[in-house]
Amino acid sequence: MPSPSFLSLFSGCGGLDLGFVNEGFRPLAAFDNWDEAIACYKRNLGTHIQKADLRLGLPSPLALRPDVVVAGSPCQGFSTAGHRKVDDPRNRLLDSAVRIGLALSPRVIVLENVPGLMYGSHKTYIDGACELLREAGYRTETISLNAQSLGVPQNRKRVFLLAWKSNVAPIFDVKAKPLKTVGEVLENCDGQPNHEPAEVAHGSNDHKISLKIGVGQKLCDIRRGSGAVHTWDIPEVFGRTNANERTLLDALIRLRRTERERDYGEGDAVTMSRLGRACKFDAAPVVDSLLMKGYLRKVSRRVDLKFTFNGKYRRLNPLGVANTVDSYFGDPRYVLHPTAHRGMTLREAARIQSFPDTFVFGPSSRNQYRLIGNAVPPLMARTVANLVRTRLLE
């Protein structure tokens, strides 16, 4: 039988497409609106990609009749890592993907996005997509996958909406693959393209912080566990504290999470009376000192930690998996190499995403990390391609 064909929408640099190609699918056309993504795609997958504003549909009517249409429309409006605005204009691009797919009338349509699409007010978007597909005669099924169970050393959850034209009702079971660790995939990077390690400047604040962050740890004031290194644990950068000040800071971490005022957020500011009772000493002068040193901030008549981020300078564990690769992976202030005092190189980020070393990105820049971070891991994509080929086409 001839190889099944596919057409790609919102293709990015081509992670989803690479998975389908590696599973034996034949690419007919691809479309994206970002010049850097298009250049990267052409360099690695072919010149069949075109620039198009897919809000307006395809640039011209196509005589192509692909077996499969795949689409990875933007996820930023659905992601819990962002502001999750229900009216984010990018959310409507899911509908654009469905309508373009239906116009091409393929046997199968595959839509990829983040789990945030599946709950809250945002669920109306996927519900609307399913309704359109079913009205056009497609059956639908949504499957959730985590990259780390598919041989990708990364905690990355994604949902795939599969739509097909037939009466088959397959079971989309996916067998887990052996766990791949960060340390395994980072071996022997020297000499590979896009691998240009650059350690932070010796003696800089970044370097001083990096020295204090152990494997699997992060700079985080709002947690108490062994994985959190507090700013007051690095006095050479953030300033010295005394025993009473550290006692109060520790009490504040606990109180802001256990005695809640709101039903959202990581924690709440704490009253002076609660702090005093928890510390068993007069909290007022200690709070004043910590406000002056920059460890606390006033919130109306309450106090809270000044730094309430959930973690920076995260040092990857070579024996475990990485957090989700994103556009900040090259910045040591967000992610640290398991053993070196630096961020991750493009090649290291690409390997954690399961891109082969033959897949070459442009010169190191925030946009190149964004290309890698936005992509579907090719091994995850190949798993989905295998389901499409074996359960829906053959």
mmCIF file of all heavy atoms in Angstrom, residues 14-47:
data_model
loop_
_atom_site.group_PDB
_atom_site.id
_atom_site.type_symbol
_atom_site.label_atom_id
_atom_site.label_comp_id
_atom_site.label_asym_id
_atom_site.label_seq_id
_atom_site.Cartn_x
_atom_site.Cartn_y
_atom_site.Cartn_z
ATOM 1 N N GLY A 14 8.185 21.908 13.267
ATOM 2 C CA GLY A 14 7.958 20.595 12.666
ATOM 3 C C GLY A 14 8.046 19.397 13.583
ATOM 4 O O GLY A 14 8.210 18.273 13.105
ATOM 5 N N GLY A 15 7.910 19.557 14.898
ATOM 6 C CA GLY A 15 7.981 18.411 15.804
ATOM 7 C C GLY A 15 6.884 17.396 15.550
ATOM 8 O O GLY A 15 7.132 16.186 15.495
ATOM 9 N N LEU A 16 5.635 17.868 15.393
ATOM 10 C CA LEU A 16 4.518 16.977 15.119
ATOM 11 C C LEU A 16 4.698 16.300 13.763
ATOM 12 O O LEU A 16 4.494 15.094 13.612
ATOM 13 C CB LEU A 16 3.211 17.776 15.161
ATOM 14 C CG LEU A 16 1.887 17.027 14.987
ATOM 15 C CD1 LEU A 16 1.739 15.927 16.026
ATOM 16 C CD2 LEU A 16 0.710 17.994 15.078
ATOM 17 N N ASP A 17 5.129 17.077 12.771
ATOM 18 C CA ASP A 17 5.316 16.530 11.427
ATOM 19 C C ASP A 17 6.424 15.484 11.389
ATOM 20 O O ASP A 17 6.301 14.456 10.711
ATOM 21 C CB ASP A 17 5.653 17.663 10.446
ATOM 22 C CG ASP A 17 4.485 18.614 10.236
ATOM 23 O OD1 ASP A 17 3.695 18.777 11.181
ATOM 24 O OD2 ASP A 17 4.366 19.194 9.158
ATOM 25 N N LEU A 18 7.505 15.740 12.130
ATOM 26 C CA LEU A 18 8.617 14.793 12.148
ATOM 27 C C LEU A 18 8.163 13.438 12.682
ATOM 28 O O LEU A 18 8.568 12.386 12.170
ATOM 29 C CB LEU A 18 9.761 15.345 12.992
ATOM 30 C CG LEU A 18 11.014 14.465 13.093
ATOM 31 C CD1 LEU A 18 11.616 14.210 11.722
ATOM 32 C CD2 LEU A 18 12.049 15.115 14.015
ATOM 33 N N GLY A 19 7.308 13.447 13.699
ATOM 34 C CA GLY A 19 6.794 12.190 14.220
ATOM 35 C C GLY A 19 6.005 11.421 13.180
ATOM 36 O O GLY A 19 6.132 10.189 13.072
ATOM 37 N N PHE A 20 5.193 12.114 12.390
ATOM 38 C CA PHE A 20 4.415 11.453 11.342
ATOM 39 C C PHE A 20 5.323 10.957 10.224
ATOM 40 O O PHE A 20 5.134 9.858 9.700
ATOM 41 C CB PHE A 20 3.332 12.385 10.817
ATOM 42 C CG PHE A 20 2.047 12.315 11.605
ATOM 43 C CD1 PHE A 20 1.937 12.950 12.840
ATOM 44 C CD2 PHE A 20 0.963 11.609 11.140
ATOM 45 C CE1 PHE A 20 0.772 12.870 13.596
ATOM 46 C CE2 PHE A 20 -0.221 11.517 11.869
ATOM 47 C CZ PHE A 20 -0.313 12.146 13.111
ATOM 48 N N VAL A 21 6.315 11.751 9.858
ATOM 49 C CA VAL A 21 7.263 11.318 8.824
ATOM 50 C C VAL A 21 8.003 10.063 9.269
ATOM 51 O O VAL A 21 8.162 9.102 8.507
ATOM 52 C CB VAL A 21 8.256 12.458 8.495
ATOM 53 C CG1 VAL A 21 9.404 11.946 7.633
ATOM 54 C CG2 VAL A 21 7.535 13.601 7.777
ATOM 55 N N ASN A 22 8.450 10.051 10.510
ATOM 56 C CA ASN A 22 9.185 8.895 11.021
ATOM 57 C C ASN A 22 8.319 7.648 11.122
ATOM 58 O O ASN A 22 8.841 6.525 11.162
ATOM 59 C CB ASN A 22 9.799 9.211 12.387
ATOM 60 C CG ASN A 22 10.970 10.172 12.293
ATOM 61 O OD1 ASN A 22 11.552 10.356 11.223
ATOM 62 N ND2 ASN A 22 11.316 10.803 13.398
ATOM 63 N N GLU A 23 7.006 7.825 11.162
ATOM 64 C CA GLU A 23 6.096 6.683 11.201
ATOM 65 C C GLU A 23 5.685 6.238 9.800
ATOM 66 O O GLU A 23 4.887 5.320 9.643
ATOM 67 C CB GLU A 23 4.856 7.047 12.035
ATOM 68 C CG GLU A 23 3.903 5.922 12.350
ATOM 69 C CD GLU A 23 4.525 4.745 13.089
ATOM 70 O OE1 GLU A 23 5.534 4.939 13.803
ATOM 71 O OE2 GLU A 23 4.000 3.619 12.956
ATOM 72 N N GLY A 24 6.260 6.889 8.766
ATOM 73 C CA GLY A 24 6.012 6.456 7.396
ATOM 74 C C GLY A 24 4.986 7.266 6.636
ATOM 75 O O GLY A 24 4.600 6.888 5.524
ATOM 76 N N PHE A 25 4.534 8.386 7.198
ATOM 77 C CA PHE A 25 3.577 9.242 6.500
ATOM 78 C C PHE A 25 4.307 10.154 5.514
ATOM 79 O O PHE A 25 5.460 10.529 5.724
ATOM 80 C CB PHE A 25 2.784 10.089 7.498
ATOM 81 C CG PHE A 25 1.715 9.334 8.231
ATOM 82 C CD1 PHE A 25 2.031 8.471 9.269
ATOM 83 C CD2 PHE A 25 0.376 9.486 7.893
ATOM 84 C CE1 PHE A 25 1.052 7.772 9.963
ATOM 85 C CE2 PHE A 25 -0.615 8.800 8.571
ATOM 86 C CZ PHE A 25 -0.276 7.937 9.610
ATOM 87 N N ARG A 26 3.607 10.533 4.477
ATOM 88 C CA ARG A 26 4.168 11.349 3.399
ATOM 89 C C ARG A 26 3.603 12.770 3.511
ATOM 90 O O ARG A 26 2.389 12.970 3.386
ATOM 91 C CB ARG A 26 3.798 10.713 2.064
ATOM 92 C CG ARG A 26 4.290 11.391 0.810
ATOM 93 C CD ARG A 26 4.103 10.449 -0.396
ATOM 94 N NE ARG A 26 2.813 9.779 -0.347
ATOM 95 C CZ ARG A 26 1.699 10.232 -0.925
ATOM 96 N NH1 ARG A 26 1.725 11.380 -1.581
ATOM 97 N NH2 ARG A 26 0.578 9.539 -0.861
ATOM 98 N N PRO A 27 4.462 13.791 3.740
ATOM 99 C CA PRO A 27 3.947 15.157 3.871
ATOM 100 C C PRO A 27 3.600 15.758 2.508
ATOM 101 O O PRO A 27 4.392 15.690 1.573
ATOM 102 C CB PRO A 27 5.106 15.903 4.523
ATOM 103 C CG PRO A 27 6.337 15.168 4.080
ATOM 104 C CD PRO A 27 5.926 13.728 3.956
ATOM 105 N N LEU A 28 2.422 16.352 2.414
ATOM 106 C CA LEU A 28 2.003 17.011 1.172
ATOM 107 C C LEU A 28 2.181 18.523 1.247
ATOM 108 O O LEU A 28 2.598 19.154 0.277
ATOM 109 C CB LEU A 28 0.533 16.687 0.871
ATOM 110 C CG LEU A 28 0.169 15.224 0.647
ATOM 111 C CD1 LEU A 28 -1.327 15.109 0.338
ATOM 112 C CD2 LEU A 28 1.002 14.623 -0.484
ATOM 113 N N ALA A 29 1.836 19.100 2.375
ATOM 114 C CA ALA A 29 1.930 20.558 2.540
ATOM 115 C C ALA A 29 1.907 20.874 4.025
ATOM 116 O O ALA A 29 1.423 20.088 4.844
ATOM 117 C CB ALA A 29 0.774 21.262 1.835
ATOM 118 N N ALA A 30 2.461 22.034 4.373
ATOM 119 C CA ALA A 30 2.476 22.503 5.754
ATOM 120 C C ALA A 30 2.316 24.016 5.742
ATOM 121 O O ALA A 30 2.721 24.682 4.776
ATOM 122 C CB ALA A 30 3.778 22.100 6.444
ATOM 123 N N PHE A 31 1.733 24.564 6.819
ATOM 124 C CA PHE A 31 1.437 25.995 6.861
ATOM 125 C C PHE A 31 1.712 26.565 8.249
ATOM 126 O O PHE A 31 1.349 25.971 9.265
ATOM 127 C CB PHE A 31 -0.035 26.246 6.492
ATOM 128 C CG PHE A 31 -0.402 25.783 5.114
ATOM 129 C CD1 PHE A 31 -0.867 24.489 4.910
ATOM 130 C CD2 PHE A 31 -0.252 26.622 4.015
ATOM 131 C CE1 PHE A 31 -1.196 24.045 3.643
ATOM 132 C CE2 PHE A 31 -0.575 26.181 2.747
ATOM 133 C CZ PHE A 31 -1.045 24.897 2.557
ATOM 134 N N ASP A 32 2.352 27.733 8.265
ATOM 135 C CA ASP A 32 2.592 28.458 9.508
ATOM 136 C C ASP A 32 2.739 29.929 9.150
ATOM 137 O O ASP A 32 2.898 30.281 7.964
ATOM 138 C CB ASP A 32 3.836 27.949 10.240
ATOM 139 C CG ASP A 32 3.807 28.301 11.727
ATOM 140 O OD1 ASP A 32 4.266 29.394 12.093
ATOM 141 O OD2 ASP A 32 3.298 27.479 12.513
ATOM 142 N N ASN A 33 2.712 30.789 10.184
ATOM 143 C CA ASN A 33 2.763 32.230 9.928
ATOM 144 C C ASN A 33 4.006 32.893 10.500
ATOM 145 O O ASN A 33 4.125 34.114 10.481
ATOM 146 C CB ASN A 33 1.508 32.906 10.516
ATOM 147 C CG ASN A 33 1.274 34.288 9.941
ATOM 148 O OD1 ASN A 33 1.534 34.519 8.753
ATOM 149 N ND2 ASN A 33 0.775 35.193 10.758
ATOM 150 N N TRP A 34 4.952 32.103 11.039
ATOM 151 C CA TRP A 34 6.138 32.657 11.692
ATOM 152 C C TRP A 34 7.350 32.349 10.834
ATOM 153 O O TRP A 34 7.685 31.191 10.600
ATOM 154 C CB TRP A 34 6.288 32.077 13.090
ATOM 155 C CG TRP A 34 7.382 32.691 13.904
ATOM 156 C CD1 TRP A 34 8.002 33.884 13.692
ATOM 157 C CD2 TRP A 34 7.999 32.134 15.074
ATOM 158 N NE1 TRP A 34 8.953 34.115 14.655
ATOM 159 C CE2 TRP A 34 8.977 33.065 15.510
ATOM 160 C CE3 TRP A 34 7.805 30.959 15.790
ATOM 161 C CZ2 TRP A 34 9.767 32.824 16.642
ATOM 162 C CZ3 TRP A 34 8.589 30.733 16.911
ATOM 163 C CH2 TRP A 34 9.558 31.664 17.324
ATOM 164 N N ASP A 35 8.034 33.412 10.390
ATOM 165 C CA ASP A 35 9.142 33.240 9.454
ATOM 166 C C ASP A 35 10.250 32.348 10.005
ATOM 167 O O ASP A 35 10.822 31.528 9.266
ATOM 168 C CB ASP A 35 9.715 34.609 9.064
ATOM 169 C CG ASP A 35 8.772 35.414 8.178
ATOM 170 O OD1 ASP A 35 7.974 34.786 7.462
ATOM 171 O OD2 ASP A 35 8.819 36.656 8.220
ATOM 172 N N GLU A 36 10.595 32.505 11.288
ATOM 173 C CA GLU A 36 11.674 31.687 11.848
ATOM 174 C C GLU A 36 11.288 30.212 11.912
ATOM 175 O O GLU A 36 12.118 29.324 11.697
ATOM 176 C CB GLU A 36 12.069 32.204 13.236
ATOM 177 C CG GLU A 36 12.824 33.529 13.190
ATOM 178 C CD GLU A 36 13.614 33.790 14.459
ATOM 179 O OE1 GLU A 36 14.424 32.929 14.846
ATOM 180 O OE2 GLU A 36 13.413 34.865 15.046
ATOM 181 N N ALA A 37 10.041 29.941 12.199
ATOM 182 C CA ALA A 37 9.576 28.553 12.215
ATOM 183 C C ALA A 37 9.624 27.969 10.810
ATOM 184 O O ALA A 37 10.041 26.811 10.609
ATOM 185 C CB ALA A 37 8.158 28.476 12.773
ATOM 186 N N ILE A 38 9.210 28.747 9.838
ATOM 187 C CA ILE A 38 9.202 28.276 8.455
ATOM 188 C C ILE A 38 10.615 27.983 7.979
ATOM 189 O O ILE A 38 10.885 26.963 7.328
ATOM 190 C CB ILE A 38 8.504 29.318 7.552
ATOM 191 C CG1 ILE A 38 7.014 29.384 7.891
ATOM 192 C CG2 ILE A 38 8.701 28.979 6.070
ATOM 193 C CD1 ILE A 38 6.300 30.561 7.267
ATOM 194 N N ALA A 39 11.565 28.877 8.319
ATOM 195 C CA ALA A 39 12.961 28.663 7.923
ATOM 196 C C ALA A 39 13.515 27.388 8.540
ATOM 197 O O ALA A 39 14.222 26.612 7.883
ATOM 198 C CB ALA A 39 13.804 29.871 8.326
ATOM 199 N N CYS A 40 13.195 27.145 9.817
ATOM 200 C CA CYS A 40 13.671 25.940 10.495
ATOM 201 C C CYS A 40 13.045 24.698 9.878
ATOM 202 O O CYS A 40 13.723 23.681 9.667
ATOM 203 C CB CYS A 40 13.338 26.028 11.984
ATOM 204 S SG CYS A 40 14.021 24.687 12.971
ATOM 205 N N TYR A 41 11.766 24.766 9.584
ATOM 206 C CA TYR A 41 11.060 23.628 8.976
ATOM 207 C C TYR A 41 11.677 23.291 7.619
ATOM 208 O O TYR A 41 11.954 22.125 7.318
ATOM 209 C CB TYR A 41 9.583 23.987 8.822
ATOM 210 C CG TYR A 41 8.682 22.833 8.419
ATOM 211 C CD1 TYR A 41 7.804 22.269 9.338
ATOM 212 C CD2 TYR A 41 8.678 22.317 7.124
ATOM 213 C CE1 TYR A 41 6.958 21.230 8.989
ATOM 214 C CE2 TYR A 41 7.849 21.271 6.757
ATOM 215 C CZ TYR A 41 6.998 20.731 7.697
ATOM 216 O OH TYR A 41 6.165 19.690 7.335
ATOM 217 N N LYS A 42 11.903 24.317 6.797
ATOM 218 C CA LYS A 42 12.484 24.081 5.468
ATOM 219 C C LYS A 42 13.868 23.452 5.581
ATOM 220 O O LYS A 42 14.235 22.569 4.788
ATOM 221 C CB LYS A 42 12.584 25.405 4.699
ATOM 222 C CG LYS A 42 11.260 25.913 4.161
ATOM 223 C CD LYS A 42 11.448 27.195 3.362
ATOM 224 C CE LYS A 42 10.132 27.647 2.745
ATOM 225 N NZ LYS A 42 10.296 28.919 1.976
ATOM 226 N N ARG A 43 14.641 23.890 6.558
ATOM 227 C CA ARG A 43 15.995 23.377 6.723
ATOM 228 C C ARG A 43 15.994 21.886 7.057
ATOM 229 O O ARG A 43 16.903 21.154 6.678
ATOM 230 C CB ARG A 43 16.699 24.156 7.843
ATOM 231 C CG ARG A 43 18.168 23.798 8.048
ATOM 232 C CD ARG A 43 18.758 24.533 9.252
ATOM 233 N NE ARG A 43 18.599 25.978 9.135
ATOM 234 C CZ ARG A 43 17.904 26.736 9.961
ATOM 235 N NH1 ARG A 43 17.280 26.180 10.988
ATOM 236 N NH2 ARG A 43 17.811 28.032 9.794
ATOM 237 N N ASN A 44 14.952 21.432 7.737
ATOM 238 C CA ASN A 44 14.969 20.074 8.266
ATOM 239 C C ASN A 44 13.954 19.119 7.643
ATOM 240 O O ASN A 44 14.192 17.912 7.612
ATOM 241 C CB ASN A 44 14.718 20.120 9.779
ATOM 242 C CG ASN A 44 15.845 20.783 10.536
ATOM 243 O OD1 ASN A 44 16.896 20.195 10.734
ATOM 244 N ND2 ASN A 44 15.645 22.041 10.948
ATOM 245 N N LEU A 45 12.844 19.642 7.156
ATOM 246 C CA LEU A 45 11.786 18.745 6.689
ATOM 247 C C LEU A 45 11.399 18.931 5.229
ATOM 248 O O LEU A 45 10.777 18.045 4.643
ATOM 249 C CB LEU A 45 10.536 18.920 7.571
ATOM 250 C CG LEU A 45 10.658 18.333 8.981
ATOM 251 C CD1 LEU A 45 9.556 18.865 9.883
ATOM 252 C CD2 LEU A 45 10.598 16.822 8.928
ATOM 253 N N GLY A 46 11.742 20.069 4.638
ATOM 254 C CA GLY A 46 11.433 20.241 3.225
ATOM 255 C C GLY A 46 10.776 21.569 2.917
ATOM 256 O O GLY A 46 10.315 22.287 3.808
ATOM 257 N N THR A 47 10.711 21.873 1.650
ATOM 258 C CA THR A 47 10.207 23.170 1.188
ATOM 259 C C THR A 47 8.703 23.177 0.945
ATOM 260 O O THR A 47 8.169 24.136 0.387
ATOM 261 C CB THR A 47 10.924 23.577 -0.105
ATOM 262 O OG1 THR A 47 10.717 22.551 -1.095
ATOM 263 C CG2 THR A 47 12.415 23.747 0.122
#
